[in-house]
């Protein structure tokens, strides 16, 4: 079964994460997302919708998988590279991309959403945020910059240091998401926004968009991510204890 489902909405393409139960981001899913983006753009899509499963947009990186391969640093690094390649593909996509967030979007799920042009989130008992510190991870500089460019530096600090998660209305109030609608409307609203952009004179719209997103693309570059330092920190006692505790909690559900 494909891990990315592609659904046509006229000239808009919806790319739906399809790795149940929570769309945990492993290398296979991330690599398929990159390919799906490239294919949709090559096919002439005017814009892309990134959607996820019911209740959970994406739970972020597949931590059990990462722990299972951590004895081989090269494999661990390759897994992180796959994730950030997917984030970069969204950030550098030459056509607009809107995240249709129909459920929870913690950590890596939030990163993917922040790489999109806009975020439409479902009202209800769902949360979004960069909660890396709560699960023992050091935040890459580039990821911090994603949050800073979206909500501002001081607000980003207040969120990422304690790893706070926000509900949809709280996220809307600070600009982390752009619109809150019913769960059945997130994709429809994303498509409508993309169709409005597609109706503009195409060349100037895309050129202006590229200018405004240059800092976003740079934030997802290897130099800004400092992955070697993050991988070094991965093996410290505190992160290891927190990550194993997380996996133990997940195993009890």
């Amino acid at each position: 079964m494909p891990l990315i489902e592609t659904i046509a909405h006229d000239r808009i393409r919806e790319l739906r994460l399809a790795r149940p139960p929570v769309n945990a981001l492993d290398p296979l899913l991330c690599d398929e997302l990159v390919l799906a983006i490239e294919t949709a753009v090559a096919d002439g899509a005017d814009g892309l919708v990134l959607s996820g499963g019911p209740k959970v947009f994406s739970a972020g990186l597949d931590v059990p998988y990462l722990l299972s391969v951590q004895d081989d640093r090269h494999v661990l690094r390759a897994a992180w590279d796959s994730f950030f390649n997917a984030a970069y593909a969204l950030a550098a996509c030459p056509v607009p991309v809107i995240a249709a967030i129909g459920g929870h979007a913690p950590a890596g799920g939030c990163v993917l959403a922040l790489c999109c042009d806009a975020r439409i989130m479902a009202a209800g008992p769902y949360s979004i945020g960069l909660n890396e510190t709560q699960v023992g991870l050091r935040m890459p500089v580039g990821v911090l910059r994603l949050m800073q460019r979206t909500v501002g530096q001081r607000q980003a600090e207040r969120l990422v240091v304690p790893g706070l998660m926000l509900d949809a209305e709280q996220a809307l109030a600070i600009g982390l998401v752009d619109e809150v609608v019913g769960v059945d409307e997130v994709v429809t609203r994303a498509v409508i926004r993309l169709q409005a952009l597609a109706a503009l004179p195409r060349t100037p719209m895309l050129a202006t968009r590229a200018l405004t997103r240059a800092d976003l693309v740079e934030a997802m570059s290897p130099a800004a991510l400092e992955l070697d330092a993050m991988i070094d920190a991965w093996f410290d006692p505190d992160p290891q204890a927190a990550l194993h505790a997380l996996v133990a909690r997940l195993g009890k559900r």
Side-chain angles (χ1 to χ4, degrees):
M1 295 293 291
L3 298 176
I4 303 292
E5 298 174 356
T6 300
I7 303 159
H9 303 272
D10 293 325
R11 292 182 57 81
I12 306 300
R13 294 291 180 273
E14 177 187 353
L15 307 181
R16 180 180 296 167
L17 306 176
R19 187 179 179 232
V22 294
N23 290 325
L25 300 166
D26 72 344
L28 290 177
L29 175 56
C30 292
D31 292 347
E32 279 200 31
L33 178 56
V34 173
L35 180 59
I37 293 168
E38 292 173 347
T39 300
V41 171
D43 288 345
D46 286 338
L48 307 179
V49 176
L50 180 67
S51 65
K55 298 183 180 180
V56 180
F57 172 73
S58 170
L61 272 291
D62 189 336
V63 173
Y65 171 78
L66 294 175
L67 289 175
S68 75
V69 301
Q70 71 177 9
D71 289 343
D72 188 328
R73 184 185 175 102
H74 294 293
V75 176
L76 179 64
R77 171 61 188 261
W80 280 101
D81 282 338
S82 292
F83 168 67
F84 282 114
N85 287 342
Y88 183 87
L90 291 168
C93 183
V95 299
V97 188
I98 294 182
I101 306 169
H104 298 294
C110 182
V111 172
L112 295 187
L114 286 169
C115 288
C116 298
D117 294 59
R119 288 150 293 283
I120 314 285
M121 188 168 179
Y126 309 120
S127 58
I128 184 172
L130 297 176
N131 63 334
E132 279 79 355
T133 59
Q134 292 195 18
V135 297
L137 295 179
R138 168 185 168 173
M139 181 169 295
V141 175
V143 173
L144 173 61
R145 287 168 60 185
L146 294 184
M147 184 64 85
Q148 289 174 331
R149 79 184 294 273
T150 303
V151 303
Q153 290 192 352
R154 176 58 180 148
Q155 191 67 266
E157 179 186 348
R158 294 176 62 190
L159 293 175
V160 303
V161 174
L164 296 181
M165 298 291 293
L166 304 179
D167 65 31
E169 293 296 340
Q170 291 172 323
L172 179 66
I174 66 168
L176 180 53
V177 302
D178 301 277
E179 192 172 347
V180 174
V181 299
V183 67
D184 295 329
E185 302 174 83
V186 289
V187 171
T188 300
R189 288 298 305 160
V191 170
I192 289 171
R193 281 186 173 232
L194 289 167
Q195 289 172 333
L197 288 175
L200 297 171
R202 186 167 180 79
T203 300
M205 183 275 287
L206 292 178
T208 301
R209 174 182 176 272
L211 286 174
T212 64
R213 291 171 62 80
D215 64 321
L216 175 63
V217 175
E218 199 277 328
M220 288 294 97
S221 69
L225 291 170
E226 299 181 353
L227 279 183
D228 286 333
M230 193 193 75
I231 297 296
D232 288 340
W234 173 273
F235 293 100
D236 289 344
D238 279 352
Q240 285 289 302
L243 290 164
H244 280 90
L246 171 64
V247 171
R249 292 195 301 272
L250 292 173
K252 293 178 181 178
R253 293 181 181 177

